[in-house]
Amino acid sequence: MLSLVDLTDDSWQRRRREVRLIWHMARQFESEPPMSRANISKGITAGATVEVDVSRCKDAFAVLHGPVLEYETTGTGPIASVTRAELLQLRLRKFPEDEAEAVPMLLEEAISLVIEARRQASNRGGSDLGALMLDIKMKPQEATEAVLEEFAACLSGLPPNALLLSSKHPDFLAALGKHCPEVPRAYDPTHFVLEQVPRAYDPTDAALKREKWEATLAHLAFVEANWRREVPRARLAQVFLRYDLFLEARQAGIDLAERCQAAGYHIGIWTLDASDQKAGSILRILLDGTATLPTQIITNG
């Protein structure tokens, strides 16, 4: 099972304390069903960052990856095509024997679970309270002012430090910032790296590799500056990048973690699967050497 705890010699123990694992789809272990109510509460109580996906149906926000219902539920067609009432009549395929968990979850219920779990942990004297990471799957064109206002209202019961809003669409995150500017945001520039940075170059040319990653860092600076022009309090708290791209940058001589932290935001990487036979060796490479560590790693297990 993939775990930083498994790296037991002294040097690994010292380094692993600098990195936190994110429960991808609210799973502590890969064998668990995704995005369960029980695991959201468990993770928050344990002080973990718990990641769930959020999609838009006609009149509510669903804790579903999407974009279609048949991936996760007994329904068919786009999530955006059904109402809240219609969604709640469906059942999640991963929970056939648990009626309470089988009902699709709405965002407001997930927020309520986090509020209650943090309250219980605080009452027990806990100081390391968990946070909910919302990986927002909505498309920018779905983000009307009314929808954004509704989304912000769902979050109003939690303090900003209990949330992290994530998307691969910087314009969507910019628009969202007008409605909840204090909530930290995370941007995934993987699409920019793969599609926007020209790839018609000799991959063995070290100088051009560095140029590619310098362009990516410039893009991140532009994204945050653009947000701040609209909402001065808005900030880029976290960058998430596919782990192989993070390692590619390191091989090109670019320490992304150090550069991002110097710019005022952290970098996390996704996603390591416990069932992947290479996961342990990849984890050691990520934590090896003197390079600055990513602050968070999204894992399945």
Side-chain angles (χ1 to χ4, degrees), residues 230-301:
E230 295 290 333
V231 184
R233 290 177 295 167
R235 68 187 183 96
L236 176 60
Q238 187 95 24
V239 172
F240 281 98
L241 191 65
R242 216 171 65 191
Y243 74 83
D244 58 313
L245 296 175
F246 180 86
L247 292 175
E248 178 191 307
R250 183 182 288 181
Q251 291 166 357
I254 301 291
D255 188 338
L256 286 178
E258 179 183 46
R259 296 283 294 275
C260 285
Q261 289 177 30
Y265 37 86
H266 297 289
I267 188 164
I269 55 175
W270 58 270
T271 297
L272 292 183
D273 295 320
S275 60
D276 186 343
Q277 293 183 348
K278 299 181 294 182
S281 60
I282 291 169
L283 188 59
R284 282 185 173 271
I285 292 170
L286 287 167
L287 302 183
D288 197 11
T290 59
T292 309
L293 298 181
T295 53
Q296 293 183 319
I297 300 175
I298 299 178
T299 70
N300 285 321

Side-chain angles (χ1 to χ4, degrees), residues 62-99:
V63 180
L64 293 171
H65 185 282
V68 295
L69 291 162
E70 49 263 44
Y71 285 171
E72 298 153 277
T73 78
T74 54
T76 59
I79 293 173
S81 68
V82 298
T83 65
R84 169 198 299 254
E86 291 168 335
L87 180 70
L88 295 179
Q89 292 301 311
L90 303 177
R91 292 297 177 264
L92 296 170
R93 297 182 185 279
K94 295 291 186 180
F95 299 97
E97 299 177 359
D98 189 333
E99 178 60 23

Side-chain angles (χ1 to χ4, degrees), residues 137-156:
K137 301 301 184 182
M138 284 187 289
K139 298 176 182 178
Q141 58 267 32
E142 295 178 293
T144 65
E145 286 298 305
V147 167
L148 292 173
E149 288 176 7
E150 182 186 344
F151 185 85
C154 287
L155 309 183
S156 60

Side-chain angles (χ1 to χ4, degrees), residues 7-301:
L7 305 178
T8 53
D9 60 81
D10 288 344
S11 61
W12 293 111
Q13 286 292 320
R14 288 194 297 272
R15 300 218 88 195
R16 75 176 181 85
R17 294 190 188 100
E18 303 173 44
V19 183
R20 300 192 69 169
L21 299 184
I22 296 176
W23 291 19
H24 182 234
M25 291 188 170
R27 290 184 293 193
Q28 183 180 17
F29 302 106
E30 191 174 9
S31 58
E32 295 172 335
M35 298 188 289
S36 72
R37 294 163 174 84
N39 258 22
I40 290 174
S41 298
K42 177 182 175 183
I44 296 298
T45 302
T49 297
V50 178
E51 184 261 2
V52 299
D53 300 311
V54 178
S55 297
R56 177 71 178 173
C57 65
K58 279 187 175 180
D59 55 354
F61 302 98
V63 180
L64 293 171
H65 185 282
V68 295
L69 291 162
E70 49 263 44
Y71 285 171
E72 298 153 277
T73 78
T74 54
T76 59
I79 293 173
S81 68
V82 298
T83 65
R84 169 198 299 254
E86 291 168 335
L87 180 70
L88 295 179
Q89 292 301 311
L90 303 177
R91 292 297 177 264
L92 296 170
R93 297 182 185 279
K94 295 291 186 180
F95 299 97
E97 299 177 359
D98 189 333
E99 178 60 23
E101 287 282 14
V103 178
M105 193 185 332
L106 299 177
L107 176 58
E108 54 258 42
E109 182 182 359
I111 295 296
S112 295
L113 290 171
V114 175
I115 291 172
E116 178 60 20
R118 285 172 60 91
R119 185 190 66 80
Q120 292 184 14
S122 179
N123 288 345
R124 291 196 295 269
S127 58
D128 189 12
L129 303 180
L132 184 67
M133 176 179 168
L134 301 176
D135 191 7
I136 304 165
K137 301 301 184 182
M138 284 187 289
K139 298 176 182 178
Q141 58 267 32
E142 295 178 293
T144 65
E145 286 298 305
V147 167
L148 292 173
E149 288 176 7
E150 182 186 344
F151 185 85
C154 287
L155 309 183
S156 60
L158 280 172
N161 66 356
L163 289 162
L164 182 63
L165 306 181
S166 173
S167 174
K168 65 180 181 180
H169 300 294
D171 292 344
F172 172 80
L173 288 169
L176 188 59
K178 299 175 185 177
H179 297 272
C180 40
E182 304 294 344
V183 178
R185 282 169 287 175
Y187 169 50
D188 180 356
T190 297
H191 174 76
F192 176 87
V193 174
L194 294 178
E195 303 297 334
Q196 303 301 318
V197 176
R199 291 188 288 172
Y201 64 85
D202 180 356
T204 64
D205 189 318
L208 287 175
K209 273 190 175 182
R210 289 182 62 86
E211 184 177 325
K212 168 184 175 178
W213 288 105
E214 291 292 350
T216 300
L217 288 163
H219 168 68
L220 295 174
F222 171 81
V223 165
E224 183 172 37
N226 189 50
W227 291 356
R228 289 185 180 274
R229 275 194 295 270
E230 295 290 333
V231 184
R233 290 177 295 167
R235 68 187 183 96
L236 176 60
Q238 187 95 24
V239 172
F240 281 98
L241 191 65
R242 216 171 65 191
Y243 74 83
D244 58 313
L245 296 175
F246 180 86
L247 292 175
E248 178 191 307
R250 183 182 288 181
Q251 291 166 357
I254 301 291
D255 188 338
L256 286 178
E258 179 183 46
R259 296 283 294 275
C260 285
Q261 289 177 30
Y265 37 86
H266 297 289
I267 188 164
I269 55 175
W270 58 270
T271 297
L272 292 183
D273 295 320
S275 60
D276 186 343
Q277 293 183 348
K278 299 181 294 182
S281 60
I282 291 169
L283 188 59
R284 282 185 173 271
I285 292 170
L286 287 167
L287 302 183
D288 197 11
T290 59
T292 309
L293 298 181
T295 53
Q296 293 183 319
I297 300 175
I298 299 178
T299 70
N300 285 321

